[in-house]
Amino acid sequence: MIKEQIEKMVHQALDEARRSGQLPSSDVPAFVVEEPRAEAHGDFSTNAAMVMASSQKMAPRKIAEILAGNLRRQQSGVERVEIAGPGFINFFLRPEAWHPVLQHVAERGDTFGSCDVGRGRRIQVEFVSSNPTGPLHVGHGRGAAVGDAVASILAACGYDVQREYYINDSGRQIRTLGQSVYLRLLAHFGREVDFPETCYQGDYIRELAAEVAAAEGEAILQWPEEKAVSHCARYACEKILAGIRRDLADFGVTFDQWFSEQSLYDSGQVDEAIAFFRDKGLIYEKDGALWFKTSAFGDEKDRVVVRSNGQTTYFASDIAYHREKFQRGFDRVIDVWGADHHGYIARMAAAIEAGGIERERFGVILVQLVNLLRGGEPVAMSTRAGRFDTLAAVIREVGRDAARFIFLSRHHESALDFDLEVARQKTNDNPVFYVQYVHARISSILRKAREQGMTGVAWDAEAAALLTAPEEMALIKAMDRFPETVAAAAEMLEPHRVTYYLMDLASLFHAYYNKHRVLTDDARLSRGRLCLVLAVRQVIRNGLTLLGVSAPEKM
RNA sequence: GCGCCUGUAGCUCAGUUGGAUAGAGCAACGGACUUCUAAUCCGUAGGUCACAGGUUCGAAUCCUGUCAGGCGUACCA
């Protein structure tokens, strides 16, 4: 909020300088106001003079002087202005200029950090969408954490967000699932069977087969194979999906909608989509198959939608699905995919553009793979005894909070080493505790304050005016950055920005805590510091909430 | 071969969307608990931002090329 005021001031100075003819050109390139790295460069700095140098045909420092001369900084909190380096204008604020930030945090409460840049526009985030052919593993967990956090962050920025899970309950992999269970079923009843490598190998298939066997008895052996396989497929699919839902719920992730791929076939939307693009001349026949002209929209080659054997491809239903998404009225659609699917983006984007939707309205977040480790050693991905890399197993071992925080502690496009040993540790190696500890510590202070009869946690301007220590100023300035951090995370679809912000704020708080006492003999100072830590706690909580991590009162 | 991603301290990674003297954690070394939670803090040390050009007032950031790693390159999903 302080930064916006400085920006406004610079714009005013610019207008003034142009009106008075000190600056000839009305061509004003975009400039930024930012917080300089070095303290000696002030609280804020702008490059306005430098970016205007060429259009004004003047030396940057000369322009800086003109702008500085036109700044109306009465009552602005700006103590002094310096021109430095090649033409930076540096602003030095009086400490009291920062104190309203605390009041602002107190007033906004849980909504501090939210904004309205989304203006209620509808945006869909589709994530996880794991095939219902086996349990979720760590990689899906990362996708879940990223997708959920992105959705929360977008919602905080004023978008109308919908979380969706696309169920691939159609096609070959479901048929294979049915066959896998059926074969295990036959073995269950003592039949000799070859279990091909192409079938799903996990032990959960055996368990599902045993369940079907218990429910149907040996009578199922008399069924036509086709009927038995599809019965197994349906049963297994539903059962596995229920498990996925449960795992995600345990992870704190819930969806607004579960969308079935099969429903696109049942409702005729796949055929409709193919007919639509065929009419537009974008689908043609070659070698007995139907091809989509994705190459006309930036893809490297055309793609098959109906194979020569008459079966549709996954791409065909995906075209129908994305068409359907936009027909539902979303301004923007974001898919969260595993990074190994990156080759799929071009064709999907092409199909969307071919349907008359602007390319920018479709976004893909690629989530890189997770290397699961234990004490630095890779965890075996699967064994006969069962998988150790399932999301459920990881949550059981390290807890929801640690798992989510670690998944969000890297840029989503870089591979992540997830060490179970570290995630379980309650030390500084494990950043989630470092951040949560701030919340617990402050909560503890507040409990203590209540015991001492200090209930005055309301905003107290007079007391806040006593906050002038460097550590206090650093905390207030950091909190002032929170809203723009959230906004940037939303714009870039990068939830890790919030994670790093929280670690930064936590670090500032722990340093402050070790140097200063909040509850002192000076009642007024104590009240001021309570205002400060109360605000810190609020911001920590708001940030953790966006990441889907709890903010404990005690640890 | 082509395409996408990545390359920053010994290790794991940030880097405010082109800003001033490149940051944090871990590991190493030295310190701080009679106190609101030491799950913490303070200090020391650590760099050819893979490499070479280019763009401009200014590049870790943008462009081109080279090298290295990962992934993709189906009438699979």
Side-chain angles (χ1 to χ4, degrees):
Chain A
M1 56 185 265
I2 309 284
K3 188 194 274 189
E4 281 82 355
Q5 293 166 14
I6 303 290
E7 275 169 10
K8 215 173 284 174
M9 201 186 303
V10 175
H11 276 291
Q12 275 176 358
L14 194 56
D15 289 344
E16 209 111 328
R18 279 219 314 266
R19 229 191 327 266
S20 65
Q22 289 168 284
L23 292 177
S25 172
S26 59
D27 181 21
V28 180
F31 60 87
V32 294
V33 171
E34 61 188 352
E35 288 162 72
R37 228 192 305 266
E39 228 167 286
H41 296 146
D43 293 303
F44 290 102
S45 172
T46 182
N47 62 353
M50 278 130 59
V51 298
M52 279 186 276
S54 63
S55 65
Q56 299 292 353
K57 297 197 174 65
M58 287 171 83
R61 286 191 70 109
K62 177 73 189 157
I63 299 173
E65 275 167 37
I66 292 171
L67 288 177
N70 283 285
L71 287 170
R72 282 190 291 183
R73 51 195 184 82
Q74 298 81 7
Q75 296 171 349
S76 66
V78 175
E79 190 168 36
R80 64 197 164 90
V81 170
E82 278 181 7
I83 294 162
F88 289 103
I89 304 172
N90 296 336
F91 298 81
F92 295 79
L93 273 61
R94 277 185 281 272
E96 55 268 32
W98 288 99
H99 294 147
V101 173
L102 298 177
Q103 184 182 12
H104 188 59
V105 175
E107 284 170 1
R108 293 291 305 271
D110 291 343
T111 65
F112 178 71
S114 304
C115 64
D116 191 37
V117 293
R119 294 167 194 279
R121 273 172 297 186
R122 297 185 63 202
I123 184 162
Q124 185 207 50
V125 183
E126 181 222 316
F127 58 109
V128 187
S129 299
S130 160
N131 287 348
T133 54
L136 297 176
H137 55 76
V138 267
H140 298 121
R142 190 179 187 187
V146 169
D148 195 45
V150 164
S152 296
I153 289 166
L154 288 169
C157 288
Y159 290 93
D160 180 5
V161 180
Q162 193 221 35
R163 291 167 167 84
E164 180 151 312
Y165 187 117
Y166 183 53
I167 310 164
N168 299 125
D169 53 357
S170 166
R172 212 169 70 174
Q173 81 281 4
I174 292 300
R175 165 99 196 152
T176 304
L177 176 67
Q179 261 162 356
S180 305
V181 173
Y182 182 65
L183 289 174
R184 292 301 192 201
L185 178 78
L186 294 180
H188 179 87
F189 286 117
R191 302 286 176 88
E192 286 270 328
V193 289
D194 275 340
F195 197 76
E197 267 184 36
T198 51
C199 282
Y200 295 105
Q201 303 291 322
D203 283 338
Y204 63 96
I205 298 292
R206 254 186 272 261
E207 288 162 23
L208 290 165
E211 289 172 25
V212 176
E216 305 297 335
E218 291 200 36
I220 196 170
L221 300 175
Q222 310 307 318
W223 294 12
E225 182 172 328
E226 193 56 36
K227 183 187 169 191
V229 167
S230 75
H231 175 77
C232 287
R234 203 171 330 112
Y235 178 84
C237 183
E238 277 172 25
K239 203 65 198 283
I240 290 170
L241 205 54
I244 288 174
R245 276 177 200 264
R246 194 186 53 235
D247 289 349
L248 287 168
D250 288 345
F251 200 41
V253 176
T254 53
F255 290 88
D256 300 304
Q257 187 159 347
W258 294 71
F259 194 98
S260 155
E261 178 187 10
Q262 184 61 45
S263 74
L264 291 167
Y265 286 99
D266 296 343
S267 65
Q269 281 168 294
V270 176
D271 289 338
E272 189 274 332
I274 291 172
F276 174 81
F277 287 111
R278 206 169 189 168
D279 287 348
K280 293 185 80 171
L282 294 171
I283 284 180
Y284 62 94
E285 195 173 335
K286 191 182 89 180
D287 305 330
L290 288 185
W291 297 71
F292 197 116
K293 276 192 191 171
T294 51
S295 65
F297 299 89
D299 195 12
E300 58 188 48
K301 60 179 225 178
D302 293 344
R303 308 290 175 176
V304 171
V305 285
V306 180
R307 287 175 270 176
S308 50
N309 65 6
Q311 288 180 337
T312 52
T313 61
Y314 178 83
F315 184 44
S317 50
D318 235 3
I319 291 169
Y321 179 41
H322 283 80
R323 240 168 93 67
E324 202 275 344
K325 287 188 187 197
F326 283 106
Q327 280 165 0
R328 270 190 263 165
F330 291 110
D331 297 299
R332 200 156 171 230
V333 161
I334 291 167
D335 292 1
V336 179
W337 294 348
D340 54 339
H341 285 64
H342 69 78
Y344 201 77
I345 297 175
R347 83 188 65 168
M348 198 66 251
I352 287 167
E353 215 179 322
I357 309 288
E358 298 87 336
R359 173 69 183 81
E360 305 74 51
R361 292 173 61 193
F362 173 61
V364 178
I365 297 176
L366 291 178
V367 179
Q368 265 290 356
L369 63 96
V370 177
N371 298 310
L372 195 63
L373 309 171
R374 187 188 298 281
E377 294 299 313
V379 171
M381 279 311 171
S382 74
T383 67
R384 292 210 172 277
R387 296 172 71 102
F388 292 111
D389 64 336
T390 60
L391 176 61
V394 170
I395 295 173
R396 211 177 307 123
E397 184 165 346
V398 310
R400 183 207 283 189
D401 286 341
R404 286 188 85 138
F405 199 91
I406 291 169
F407 282 138
L408 296 167
S409 68
R410 293 271 179 285
H411 189 284
H412 51 72
E413 274 186 16
S414 66
L416 170 69
D417 287 341
F418 189 118
D419 198 314
L420 292 163
E421 209 70 44
V422 173
R424 224 167 26 168
Q425 276 172 26
K426 300 184 172 178
T427 69
N428 212 356
D429 290 355
N430 192 355
V432 66
F433 291 104
Y434 187 79
V435 175
Q436 288 181 315
Y437 191 38
V438 172
H439 195 270
R441 269 186 152 173
I442 295 174
S443 298
S444 178
I445 294 172
L446 295 173
R447 281 193 296 273
K448 190 90 177 182
R450 261 194 303 277
E451 283 170 23
Q452 295 178 3
M454 292 194 62
T455 49
V457 288
W459 168 245
D460 185 336
E462 202 179 81
L466 298 176
L467 302 172
T468 52
E471 293 82 8
E472 289 165 340
M473 299 314 298
L475 276 169
I476 298 172
K477 290 177 188 179
M479 286 189 276
D480 190 48
R481 275 196 301 269
F482 183 60
E484 65 198 65
T485 301
V486 175
E491 191 190 335
M492 305 293 290
L493 305 175
E494 290 178 345
H496 77 285
R497 288 169 181 261
V498 175
T499 313
Y500 278 90
Y501 170 85
L502 288 173
M503 292 195 283
D504 187 41
L505 182 62
S507 170
L508 292 172
F509 173 77
H510 287 311
Y512 175 65
Y513 182 91
N514 272 273
K515 189 159 178 185
H516 303 280
R517 281 188 63 83
V518 173
L519 303 175
T520 65
D521 296 337
D522 182 339
R524 201 155 69 136
L525 180 61
S526 300
R527 279 203 306 280
R529 290 183 170 170
L530 278 172
C531 285
L532 175 70
V533 299
L534 206 61
V536 172
R537 188 174 76 145
Q538 181 74 63
V539 175
I540 290 281
R541 188 194 298 158
N542 292 0
L544 286 174
T545 301
L546 289 177
L547 304 184
V549 177
S550 72
E553 300 282 322
K554 282 184 187 173
M555 285 174 74

